[in-house]
Amino acid sequence: MENSTEALVARPTDKVLIYHLRDVVRTREAEGTAFRLRVPSLQIAMGEKIALIGHSGCGKSTLLDMLAFILQPTESGAFRFRPERTDDPIDIAAYWDKSRQNRLGDLRKKYIGYVMQTGGLVPYLSVRDNMSLSRNLLQMPNNDMAVEELASHLGIRRHLDKFPSALSTGERQRVAIGRALAHRPSIVIADEPTASLDPIAAEKIMNLFIELVDELNITVIVASHAWRHIKKLGLRQLSHRTQRTSDGKLTETVVTG
Amino acid sequence: MAHLSEAFRLSGKDYLREWRISGSFIVALAAVLGPMMVLFGLKFGVIGSMVDELVHDPRNREVLSQGSGRYDLPWIEKMAQRPDVAFIVPRTRRIAADMQLASKVSNKIINVELIPSGAGDPLLEGLGALPSGANQIVLSELAAQKLMVKSGDTIDGSIARMFRGKAERQHLDLKVVVVAPAALFNREAAFVAVDLLQAVEDFRDGHRVASLGWDGVEAPGERIYPGFRLYAKTLDDVAALQKEMIAQGFQVRTRAEDIAVVKDMDRNLTLVFWVIAVIGLAGFALSLGASLLANVDRKRRELSVLRLVGFHTGDIILFPVLQSVFTGLVGWFLASGIFFGVSFVINKLFADQLAEGQSVCRLLPEHFIVALVLTIAAAVIAAMLGGLRASRIEPSEGLRDI
Ligand SMILES: Nc1ncnc2c1ncn2[C@@H]1O[C@H](COP(=O)(O)OP(=O)(O)OP(=O)(O)O)[C@@H](O)[C@H]1O
Ligand SMILES: [Mg+2]
């Protein structure tokens, strides 16, 4: 069982906080048992690289989904998002309260890239179209070779005109990473992006991913249960602790960072 | 705008990639809509030409006085003013309304009935000429054949009477202004102006006809007509006119019943057609709706991905809606093709029984438009359910579907 760890990277004080959460709770219930994720305080600065490492079922996806505005917090003391240095923070909690799903979608479209554990590609679109999905929605030009270059970096350039069904799992993950980065978001959220791959491929793709994020200067949050090689990448780890009540009915994970 | 065009593009790609499913729905729609269009085309063609015939044959608008009544000129004139009356002329006594005709080229002398006519007579409409004055005549085809004359010829008309104990005969030179084809009137007859008919009657009665220089006693008082020829303005006016005149105690005869039969048939067949059409389209919409709903469940994950990258709720609803509009559009196109093929064959089969330009199975352009609008409406309604379902997918749920 993982336990709380000190921050691996010192946090500069003059940072702009891209995420600022206080007392955010999400409860999930299923067949008599309940799970609760509690975030007393979480601050993520722009440009930071964050790792969320924990065993299966501890609530990593729950947290990341909330950070990507695709899962509504049950309660939130404060939930602020500041993707632009020059703009005021955006009150995400208020958007959820007012059911402004489209507004949240617009924020996602512009500022967030999301890589899932598997898949997440649109089967009827070619690799190129999948990677251009957000770019097209944002009406970004598609003649500037950005997608091609990214594909080259990811080693999937020769697959650009194929459909996802014709790719291996690892190649699909590379496409998913490409899609999350193609529109130059402020932050990339990756939920165990390499979990479905063999350890060697996983390490290779993870290294590539972090390298690209570094190069593009994008904030990143990556969830993983493979602690070993994440450590080598020098990411700041969020600390968390999981407890179960004595009757075993409620599991609670508390995340801070 | 980017959202709309992307939704359009992506739903199109999805649709094309699933061409097997899309295609089978297009075919299913065409299989419902095509025969329906043929059915309606048949109804429209057959009943339509029956109605056309009714409308175009002025005899169907005729209101004939029966037996012997008493109508004076003011009544006739009052009737002529009515908006539902196209034409009315009084007729004189039948017994006094005939004439002997002879021509130089034929040795036959025939006795024809004289029918009053005049400006605006619907029966002679389109022949290009109407009789006016006491020296013009329109011959029926049968009469013209016997006399071996054609329009432009002049014939001799004569009438006889016993006056003050001796037989008298008057002759008139009559110009044949036009010959009425047998299709219009298939007895030996002549259409003449009311003036001439009145002169003939006056002469027979021993009255003086000053305009023609015929001697006799002065006619007493106002003329009373025993009957008239009346044409209603439209087919729909016939039944009402008949009813009203019978209520006033006049004896009249019309073809109102024949008209009613065709109209009833039209109405009933239209009803039957709509029942079939509604059942067919509703069935199609239900099956399309069910499949789109299942589609949304099947594509939950893809739709979630689209929400994840920022598509709005409305864009997501658009997906099944656009796809079913594609189905509607292409299905309608195919159904129109089926209609053209089948109606061509049907019309060919019946070509012998049909006049030039007539068809048993036909549709007007507006019928195609109506079919398209109904189809698209049914398709959109069917898709709304799937669309709403799709819009409710929480991205975090759909993304982690197993
Ligand atoms: N849709 C749901 N309904 C109810 N409970 C859920 C639901 N999804 C997840 N849970 C519960 O919430 C807890 C946290 O789930 P979560 O998916 O966040 O775990 P995780 O850390 O991402 O696990 P993994 O490493 O296996 O992906 C689990 O105990 C799970 O049982
Ligand atoms: Mg997970």
Short mmCIF file of all heavy atoms in Angstrom, two decimals, chain A residues 61 117 191-192, ligand 2:
data_model
loop_
_atom_site.label_atom_id
_atom_site.label_comp_id
_atom_site.label_asym_id
_atom_site.label_seq_id
_atom_site.Cartn_x
_atom_site.Cartn_y
_atom_site.Cartn_z
N SER A 61 -8.74 7.51 -11.19
CA SER A 61 -9.60 7.95 -12.30
C SER A 61 -10.65 8.94 -11.81
O SER A 61 -11.00 9.89 -12.51
CB SER A 61 -10.29 6.75 -12.94
OG SER A 61 -9.32 5.86 -13.45
N GLN A 117 -6.70 5.10 -20.50
CA GLN A 117 -5.95 3.86 -20.34
C GLN A 117 -5.91 3.06 -21.65
O GLN A 117 -4.87 2.59 -22.07
CB GLN A 117 -6.59 3.04 -19.23
CG GLN A 117 -5.81 1.81 -18.86
CD GLN A 117 -6.36 1.19 -17.58
OE1 GLN A 117 -7.03 1.86 -16.81
NE2 GLN A 117 -6.06 -0.06 -17.37
N ASP A 191 -4.60 9.08 -17.82
CA ASP A 191 -5.03 8.09 -16.83
C ASP A 191 -4.43 6.74 -17.20
O ASP A 191 -4.96 6.03 -18.04
CB ASP A 191 -6.55 8.04 -16.82
CG ASP A 191 -7.08 7.18 -15.69
OD1 ASP A 191 -6.25 6.69 -14.88
OD2 ASP A 191 -8.31 6.99 -15.62
N GLU A 192 -3.34 6.40 -16.56
CA GLU A 192 -2.63 5.15 -16.84
C GLU A 192 -2.47 4.92 -18.34
O GLU A 192 -2.95 3.93 -18.88
CB GLU A 192 -3.39 3.98 -16.21
CG GLU A 192 -3.66 4.22 -14.73
CD GLU A 192 -4.10 2.96 -14.01
OE1 GLU A 192 -3.45 1.94 -14.22
OE2 GLU A 192 -5.10 3.02 -13.28
MG MG C 2 -8.58 4.12 -13.21
#
